[in-house]
Amino acid sequence: VQLQASGGGLVQAGGSLTVSCAASGRTSSTYAMGWFRQARGMEREFVAHISKITGITTYADSVKGRFTISSDNAKNTVYLQMNSLRPEDTAVYYCAASTYPTYRRSTGNYAYWGQGTQVTVSS
């Protein structure tokens, strides 16, 4: 499975941005998608998860109510819409695919990773 993230950029605080992740290859082997982010000097952290089977979504507390994860299974693409962005949201955002059918927030539970896309929020 190959993942290609795109859509990052520079946005002012309070603004919005949507990042996308296109999957190719043996996508039928994966059951869920996640978004993670890694700020400079920090560990990679969970942002959002969506089940490809049920559509159920889960979010980190830090983004709940501001970010929305969605997927278009026909296009094998997952999106992360980010609203009310804050400077602390600045990070490289990574999409990942999991072979587990249920919610997972640990990076170790995701077998496939995209290359990351930079999101910078200016104050």
Side-chain angles (χ1 to χ4, degrees):
V1 177
Q2 295 78 45
L3 304 175
Q4 181 71 42
S6 62
L10 174 65
V11 62
Q12 288 188 331
S16 300
L17 195 66
T18 298
V19 291
S20 304
C21 177
S24 60
R26 292 190 61 189
T27 58
S28 59
S29 66
T30 60
Y31 298 102
M33 298 292 292
W35 283 99
F36 292 75
R37 66 186 182 186
Q38 188 167 18
R40 189 183 300 258
M42 305 292 285
E43 291 188 355
R44 194 169 299 187
E45 65 173 2
F46 169 78
V47 174
H49 171 278
I50 185 167
S51 168
K52 292 171 61 177
I53 300 172
T54 65
I56 293 174
T57 58
T58 310
Y59 299 92
D61 288 344
S62 59
V63 306
K64 200 173 295 182
R66 300 188 298 123
F67 289 13
T68 302
I69 187 172
S70 62
S71 66
D72 185 334
N73 291 339
K75 295 182 179 180
N76 288 318
T77 301
V78 63
Y79 306 93
L80 183 69
Q81 180 179 351
M82 303 178 285
N83 298 326
S84 301
L85 282 162
R86 305 167 180 168
E88 53 263 39
D89 295 319
T90 295
V92 177
Y93 283 71
Y94 297 89
C95 60
S98 174
T99 56
Y100 292 95
T102 54
Y103 164 58
R104 293 287 189 274
R105 66 182 299 134
S106 171
T107 58
N109 294 132
Y110 290 78
Y112 307 99
W113 290 84
Q115 83 287 5
T117 184
Q118 176 71 47
V119 173
T120 303
V121 184
S122 63
S123 57

